[in-house]
Amino acid sequence: MVTYMPNTPSGPRVGLFVTCLADMFRPSVAFATVKLLEQAGCSVEVPERQTCCGQPAFNSGDRKTTADIARQTIDAFDGYEYVVGPSGSCIGMLHYYPEVFDPADSYYQRALDLKSRSFEITSFLFDVIGADALQDQLKLLQFNHKVTYHDSCSGLRQMGIKQQPRQLLQQVQGIELEEMEEAETCCGFGGTFCVKYPEISNRMVSNKTDYISNTGAHTLLGGDLGCLLNMAGKLKREGKQVEARHVVEILAGMTDIPAIGEADYDLAQKL
Amino acid sequence: MEINTPFFKQRAHDALKDENLQKALGNLKAGFPEKRAIAVDRMPEFEELRNQGRDLKNHILEHLDLYLEQFESKVIENGGQVHWARTSEDANRIILDLCKQVDAKTVTKGKSMVTEEIGLNDFLEANGVQPVETDLGEYILQLRGDHPSHIIAPAIHLNLEDVSETFHKHHNRPKSDDPAVLMQEAREVLRDKFVAADVGITGANFCVAETGSTIIVTNEGNGDLTQTLPKTHIVVTSIEKVVPTLEDMTLFLRLLARSATGQEFTVYNTLSTGSRREGDQDGPENFHVVLVDNGRSEMVGSEFQDMLRCIRCSACMNHCPVYGAVGGHSYGWVYPGPMGSVLTPQMIGIEKGGMLPNASTFCGKCESVCPVKIPLPKLMRHWREDEFQKHLQPKAARYGLAGWAFLAKRPALYKPYARMASWFMKRLAGKKGRIKKLPLAGGWTDWRDMPAPQGTTFMQAWKEQQKAGEQP
């Protein structure tokens, strides 16, 4: 079953891959993604039968569970022109699906097909819709702060996401991007890595928060909630005054919502 | 060499607290990766060379038997001998026999990771033959009773003060902390050892099938003295080092130097082709090549075959944030970093080596700098699959994964659970927006706060919003 948006525009029909972290920790990131897709003229639907992309199973060596979840996701997103989500890592996992099936399996071709249709949100907006697709909306936005951008590993090295978020951010009024040292180095999250090897992960994220605060940025931006929760959590523990947000929150003009790990915000009470 | 890989976590803990080591690792980070980046920038076709390197290695591995046999027959033609060693024990025994044949008391050694892999030094010493390392880093380590922590910069974990103290203790000379003085000291001490040695042992970066040559690349020239002065030269190397032609070799030399140190060419590139011929000015009377298998032939045709493309440049570890945090000794055996995390389980068994392929965030930096494009994260994942099938992972991790999988495969059940978790964590955080201590998540909250969720899930909020939108 799918839920349909009212006022369906004429653009492509997009299935939103919510990602489990946006679902559980920061629904506002998924809402921002929906808003951006609609501004780009897409009609957005949220397939009910999605859960997680299966990456925890894949990276733990559990091929069978990975394949089960892959089938479920492939079925859930059947028929959409595009599948878009706010994470290079989770969409990157969708791109690994062909690897988990035998080429003789009927899901193999469907996995290839899903791969060809699925995009991380900034890459979708910039590479598929076009660089100036959102220029009318973005130029109305104001964010008078210095920001720095963390390139998440899967987004950067698997999905080739580097310029897309930066080019989109540049169109926002007042924003100043200051690159940090080693922006492309892993923050130490790594899914289960951060709890399996907490001390090593801690060293990696401590390096990262040093680089972040060295820029003097007001806000840290990124495209993956896993990395952002990790870095925001460390910034908070260290008492550093840097806010952390998913890039779509800026692009969708949703900065009235408290940043990650900041003061109280209860979405449940707002509904 | 003693296997300490199962203690990776404890060793990493100690390494993170070791200020000297952390200082040394900081130097590494600022050194090799930057130099590599400059070298690569200066060569627009580098990416194409990587593809060629990958394809050529794949071709060689498809025809490994052919090229190895060709190499052997050429070595014999040149007056040398080839010895095939299936295991480390076989290799050590062969090398010892060759030393005994010339009644060797001391052997000089060029840098060789394969001899570390087979534990040659300890074996020779136990059997009355004294090995002398002549690579500066290896020499320092030998004096200290230490082992390499990096495959091309073996003493990278040491600082100048460590070297100064070691030399002062062993060389019986005034203490100096001037690198040039220390270097001169080592040269003088080693000079006598070169002359006295009965046998010279080197590794090989490549074995050339068309000529029967082996090549070593060094930046110190110690390898040349090791292999030309003694009566017997023994090359100890492994079967995947063979390349078809000299021209093929040059492709890998171009990739190797840039990937390793950012040099366009290594300082000394020395080819050895057979034993001394009539009229030759120098060279060994006896030339032997020991080809070590030690599990490699099992990798051919397996899901780990890609690993045999490795040309031992060290780019993967130089760029690895985990290696950069804990250093090479934490890995507990011969090969550290991403390449070690794939090779070590093959050589010591996944039961003992399982810690390593798990100690990765799969950030992919290693693969992105590998000169022969080895998919290192994918190969580490294959080891995790092997562990999963053999139930080797810790119980808590297995049950946790199984519980999560049960829910993730059932969307109707998953959703209320996600909502509950979100609600529960929200309550735990109170008004602060973050959690200082989360039950069962100490690995996270011991080191960082857990940002609070927004109180409900997106799926729920979306559903409610849609419902509200439908009302007139």
Side-chain angles (χ1 to χ4, degrees):
Chain A
M1 196 194 95
V2 291
T3 14
Y4 291 94
M5 281 297 298
N7 315 321
T8 304
S10 55
R13 185 168 158 252
V14 172
L16 177 73
F17 189 76
V18 178
T19 77
C20 46
L21 288 179
D23 184 42
M24 221 169 88
F25 275 90
R26 212 160 164 79
S28 53
V29 165
F31 278 114
T33 307
V34 172
K35 187 172 170 187
L36 288 167
L37 287 169
E38 288 179 349
Q39 284 178 344
C42 306
S43 75
V44 183
E45 297 169 25
V46 182
E48 285 266 337
R49 293 196 55 78
Q50 59 177 306
T51 57
C52 165
C53 62
Q55 194 171 162
F58 187 55
N59 285 344
S60 299
D62 182 352
R63 303 276 298 199
K64 187 179 172 304
T65 299
T66 312
D68 288 345
I69 294 175
R71 278 188 211 98
Q72 175 179 291
T73 309
I74 291 168
D75 287 341
F77 286 91
D78 200 22
Y80 291 99
E81 247 178 290
Y82 296 105
V83 177
V84 179
S87 160
S89 176
C90 309
I91 298 295
M93 183 62 219
L94 268 50
H95 284 216
Y96 281 129
Y97 284 176
E99 282 185 31
V100 303
F101 296 110
D102 187 283
D105 191 317
S106 64
Y107 274 89
Y108 175 73
Q109 279 304 326
R110 297 181 64 194
L112 285 175
D113 174 59
L114 177 68
K115 178 179 173 177
S116 70
R117 291 183 284 128
S118 47
F119 294 87
E120 181 270 350
I121 178 68
T122 62
S123 157
F124 179 76
L125 293 173
F126 192 81
D127 301 328
V128 179
I129 300 292
D132 43 10
L134 291 179
Q135 60 179 357
D136 293 343
Q137 290 95 331
L138 291 178
K139 73 179 179 210
L140 298 177
L141 297 174
Q142 193 86 28
F143 193 73
N144 294 321
H145 294 292
K146 189 193 270 188
V147 301
T148 191
Y149 200 92
H150 166 71
D151 294 295
S152 291
C153 299
S154 306
L156 175 72
R157 282 180 276 273
Q158 189 194 351
M159 310 293 284
I161 297 162
K162 176 77 186 181
Q163 284 312 311
Q164 299 91 325
R166 288 172 173 80
Q167 298 280 343
L168 293 167
L169 283 169
Q170 264 178 15
Q171 300 176 48
V172 175
Q173 302 296 313
I175 205 163
E176 183 196 341
L177 176 68
E178 171 94 18
E179 296 288 357
M180 70 177 98
E181 201 183 323
E182 298 202 26
E184 297 184 357
T185 299
C186 179
C187 72
F189 172 62
T192 55
F193 174 84
C194 67
V195 285
K196 278 194 292 190
Y197 298 90
E199 285 184 84
I200 304 173
S201 172
N202 177 56
R203 169 56 52 89
M204 290 161 72
V205 74
S206 303
N207 292 343
K208 204 78 207 181
T209 52
D210 283 347
Y211 296 141
I212 292 165
S213 58
N214 287 346
T215 62
H218 170 277
T219 303
L220 161 72
L221 297 177
D224 265 278
L225 272 176
C227 321
L228 286 164
L229 290 169
N230 179 36
M231 291 181 289
K234 190 66 192 179
L235 287 165
K236 290 293 146 219
R237 179 65 57 94
E238 290 175 334
K240 292 192 166 119
Q241 300 297 315
V242 184
E243 296 194 346
R245 289 185 186 278
H246 194 290
V247 62
V248 294
E249 298 176 45
I250 304 283
L251 298 176
M254 287 171 59
T255 49
D256 51 327
I257 290 170
I260 299 169
E262 297 290 341
D264 191 32
Y265 175 76
D266 202 334
L267 176 66
Q269 285 174 8
K270 296 188 191 301
L271 290 167
Chain B
M1 189 177 152
E2 202 184 340
I3 295 170
N4 284 306
T5 306
F7 314 113
F8 174 81
K9 258 190 184 178
Q10 181 58 44
R11 293 167 80 85
H13 169 86
D14 296 342
L16 286 164
K17 296 232 176 317
D18 182 340
E19 282 176 29
N20 256 339
L21 173 68
Q22 290 300 323
K23 202 172 111 193
L25 289 170
N27 297 338
L28 168 79
K29 213 161 83 173
F32 290 149
E34 278 176 25
K35 290 180 183 146
R36 176 195 176 273
I38 294 167
V40 169
D41 276 350
R42 286 169 56 168
M43 188 181 223
E45 69 272 36
F46 192 74
E47 189 59 21
E48 187 47 38
L49 287 190
R50 289 176 72 210
N51 290 334
Q52 286 180 14
R54 175 200 57 204
D55 295 347
L56 179 54
K57 275 281 178 182
N58 284 344
H59 165 83
I60 293 165
L61 292 169
E62 293 300 319
H63 306 280
L64 193 56
D65 50 345
L66 180 87
Y67 289 120
L68 284 170
E69 282 176 4
Q70 189 190 359
F71 173 73
E72 179 185 37
S73 64
K74 284 289 169 186
V75 172
I76 295 169
E77 244 175 63
N78 297 327
Q81 285 180 55
V82 172
H83 310 264
W84 302 84
R86 182 160 289 280
T87 64
S88 299
E89 293 75 36
D90 292 347
N92 285 331
R93 211 174 34 246
I94 291 165
I95 298 161
L96 179 66
D97 284 350
L98 293 173
C99 291
K100 290 259 165 85
Q101 277 173 25
V102 291
D103 204 15
K105 305 281 182 301
T106 66
V107 303
T108 41
K109 281 187 69 206
K111 185 168 163 28
S112 150
M113 288 310 292
V114 173
T115 63
E116 294 287 337
E117 177 188 322
I118 64 177
L120 179 63
N121 284 6
D122 288 348
F123 183 81
L124 288 180
E125 255 186 276
N127 287 282
V129 179
Q130 180 57 45
V132 180
E133 295 287 353
T134 66
D135 170 88
L136 182 60
E138 293 279 1
Y139 174 67
I140 296 163
L141 295 181
Q142 193 181 24
L143 292 180
R144 295 171 65 93
D146 200 353
H147 289 282
S149 66
H150 187 279
I151 62 171
I152 70 160
I156 195 85
H157 56 287
L158 300 177
N159 291 302
L160 181 59
E161 305 88 82
D162 301 321
V163 180
S164 167
E165 257 169 47
T166 304
F167 279 13
H168 178 58
K169 189 173 151 196
H170 291 272
H171 289 167
N172 208 12
R173 297 190 187 194
K175 196 170 167 183
S176 168
D177 54 9
D178 179 352
V181 171
L182 293 170
M183 178 82 92
Q184 189 55 33
E185 234 180 88
R187 286 172 71 103
E188 285 166 20
V189 173
L190 283 173
R191 194 61 50 157
D192 296 337
K193 313 263 186 192
F194 282 123
V195 175
D198 307 295
V199 171
I201 296 177
T202 66
N205 292 89
F206 304 101
C207 301
V208 184
E210 72 169 345
T211 60
S213 311
T214 62
I215 183 169
I216 54 169
V217 305
T218 75
N219 282 311
E220 296 170 15
N222 62 304
D224 293 18
L225 291 174
T226 301
Q227 65 189 21
T228 46
L229 293 181
K231 266 193 214 157
T232 298
H233 176 199
I234 306 172
V235 177
V236 183
T237 191
S238 48
I239 54 172
E240 83 283 15
K241 302 275 170 67
V242 70
V243 297
T245 67
L246 284 168
E247 195 177 339
D248 295 330
M249 178 191 76
T250 61
L251 166 64
F252 292 119
L253 292 180
R254 297 170 85 194
L255 284 166
L256 177 61
R258 286 175 176 85
S259 302
T261 54
Q263 289 166 291
E264 289 182 350
F265 215 55
T266 314
V267 177
Y268 296 88
N269 293 261
T270 310
L271 285 143
S272 296
T273 310
S275 51
R276 185 195 294 218
R277 288 154 300 189
E278 256 190 62
D280 280 356
Q281 300 280 322
D282 55 18
E285 287 169 27
N286 313 302
F287 179 72
H288 299 275
V289 182
V290 180
L291 288 172
V292 179
D293 181 337
N294 205 23
R296 288 167 177 80
S297 57
E298 281 171 40
M299 296 166 79
V300 177
S302 81
E303 57 198 343
F304 296 107
Q305 177 169 314
D306 289 343
M307 191 60 222
L308 294 175
R309 294 206 295 265
C310 179
I311 59 172
R312 303 293 191 267
C313 71
S314 80
C316 61
M317 61 195 76
N318 296 341
H319 291 78
C320 175
V322 174
Y323 179 96
V326 302
H329 282 163
S330 297
Y331 292 76
W333 196 60
V334 176
Y335 298 109
M339 57 82 74
S341 298
V342 178
L343 265 187
T344 305
Q346 178 73 33
M347 292 180 174
I348 68 172
I350 187 63
E351 292 77 7
K352 286 181 186 163
M355 274 282 168
L356 303 191
N358 282 286
S360 166
T361 62
F362 286 165
C363 82
K365 187 76 187 168
C366 50
E367 182 176 355
S368 76
V369 296
C370 176
V372 285
K373 297 198 168 178
I374 299 170
L376 290 152
K378 182 176 160 183
L379 300 184
M380 285 185 244
R381 192 182 293 113
H382 284 330
W383 279 123
R384 298 186 192 183
E385 286 161 5
D386 194 46
E387 277 194 302
F388 183 83
Q389 278 165 6
K390 293 176 177 161
H391 303 291
L392 293 174
Q393 286 144 332
K395 270 204 175 101
R398 276 191 289 143
Y399 293 155
L401 182 70
W404 165 85
F406 181 84
L407 293 171
K409 288 191 277 188
R410 291 167 180 79
L413 260 182
Y414 178 89
K415 280 184 212 154
Y417 265 93
R419 263 168 72 197
M420 252 165 49
S422 177
W423 180 89
F424 173 72
M425 279 195 273
K426 175 81 195 142
R427 295 284 115 26
L428 215 55
K431 294 275 169 201
K432 290 189 299 290
R434 50 189 179 268
I435 302 160
K436 292 270 176 211
K437 199 157 181 54
L438 187 62
L440 300 176
W444 183 286
T445 52
D446 284 352
W447 306 98
R448 42 178 112 53
D449 292 351
M450 178 68 90
Q454 292 175 330
T456 189
T457 60
F458 172 78
M459 294 306 268
Q460 180 65 19
W462 177 258
K463 202 162 116 188
E464 289 179 24
Q465 207 185 58
Q466 296 296 297
K467 227 188 277 170
E470 279 165 21
Q471 313 218 324

